[in-house]
Amino acid sequence: MTHVSPFTEQDNAILDRILESRRSVRSFAPDIPPKEDIMKIIRAGLLAPYAAQAVAGQDFRRFFVFQGGSPQLAHVAALGKRQVQRMAEQLSDELAANPSSQDQGQGFVKRLERLAEVGIPGIGTAPYYIVVAERRGIPPVEQQSLAHCLENMWLKATALGLGFQLVSATAQMGQDREFCTVLGIPYGEFGTNGCAIGYPMKRLSPVERPDAGKVTKWID
Ligand SMILES: Cc1cc2nc3c(=O)[nH]c(=O)nc-3n(C[C@H](O)[C@H](O)[C@H](O)COP(=O)(O)O)c2cc1C
């Protein structure tokens, strides 16, 4: 039996070009992308898989768009700083109790302390900060689902010529009651993650990765 792809070679060439062009953008122009583009990116996020068995048919995913310069963005930026400060203190305590990992951990504590001072990159440094909340099911696999969702959003943003930065500290911020109140989600029922979106300050070169053949073992 012959299997025919519904997609042409040209479709695949375009998909490959988008995959190769996806980069972490960490510097954004002040110009504000249209809301329609943001809604297209959110639609792409909704198309990503979700853990249907774990969440048993309940509403599984919600999106929250914070716009640059808004009072609520300033509010969540401050909550982010507070959260990384807490993480630094917690990690410091853990390292004190487990001196064998001191050397490795101290560097990370310093980085967290720095973020607590200057703020989390992506929250307030781009025209949009988008939080995605995924229902926590049984088993709790919401962060895996969020990763799929964010990758879809990332690829769509790339296809639209927009820059995208993951803001993974948003996962820890989801453990903060005040942050959940700002979002209007019940505390403890959702996991969160997020990203920053805007026009890239400069175009980055395509991704560089090892040859697929070099990192693949075929097992008979
Ligand atoms: C789980 C995970 C979390 C990440 N968190 C952040 C983040 O918070 N901020 C950031 O700028 N990049 C973050 N990144 C992006 C990586 O640093 C980036 O993908 C990597 O350096 C490769 O660069 P590229 O995305 O341009 O291919 C994260 C990536 C992954 C997979």
Side-chain angles (χ1 to χ4, degrees), residues 22-26 111 121 154 165-169 204 207 209:
R22 181 218 53 78
R23 292 300 311 273
S24 291
V25 169
R26 300 191 174 92
R111 183 166 145 70
W154 204 337
Q165 178 177 22
L166 282 175
V167 184
S168 51
L204 300 176
V207 289
R209 295 291 189 265

Side-chain angles (χ1 to χ4, degrees), residues 64-68 73 76-77 120-131 165 167 169-171 173 179 193-197:
F64 305 88
V65 183
F66 292 88
Q67 298 187 62
L73 182 62
V76 296
I120 296 170
I123 309 184
T125 54
Y128 295 102
Y129 167 52
I130 302 180
V131 177
Q165 178 177 22
V167 184
T170 312
M173 288 165 67
F179 184 64
N193 216 312
C195 62
I197 293 178

Side-chain angles (χ1 to χ4, degrees), residues 74-184:
H75 184 186
V76 296
L79 294 180
K81 284 184 180 183
R82 186 174 78 180
Q83 188 63 26
V84 284
Q85 181 60 43
R86 276 192 203 134
M87 285 162 66
E89 285 162 12
Q90 212 178 335
L91 186 58
S92 254
D93 291 348
E94 281 168 22
L95 292 174
N98 183 7
S100 63
S101 33
Q102 277 279 357
D103 287 353
Q104 222 188 335
Q106 273 311 329
F108 192 55
V109 169
K110 287 222 156 53
R111 183 166 145 70
L112 289 174
E113 283 170 347
R114 171 105 186 104
L115 291 183
E117 264 173 52
V118 301
I120 296 170
I123 309 184
T125 54
Y128 295 102
Y129 167 52
I130 302 180
V131 177
V132 191
E134 185 90 5
R135 187 171 289 281
R136 183 164 295 155
I138 303 171
V141 288
E142 66 281 356
Q143 283 301 331
Q144 289 93 316
S145 291
L146 284 165
H148 292 295
C149 171
L150 286 160
E151 176 69 3
N152 262 22
M153 293 170 73
W154 204 337
L155 292 172
K156 185 66 186 177
T158 305
L160 291 168
L162 293 171
F164 182 108
Q165 178 177 22
L166 282 175
V167 184
S168 51
T170 312
Q172 283 74 34
M173 288 165 67
Q175 292 156 22
D176 181 316
R177 277 185 190 276
E178 204 175 330
F179 184 64
C180 293
T181 303
V182 173
L183 301 181

Side-chain angles (χ1 to χ4, degrees), residues 50-60 134-139 141:
Y50 70 101
Q53 298 280 343
V55 298
Q58 300 180 75
D59 72 315
F60 58 96
E134 185 90 5
R135 187 171 289 281
R136 183 164 295 155
I138 303 171
V141 288

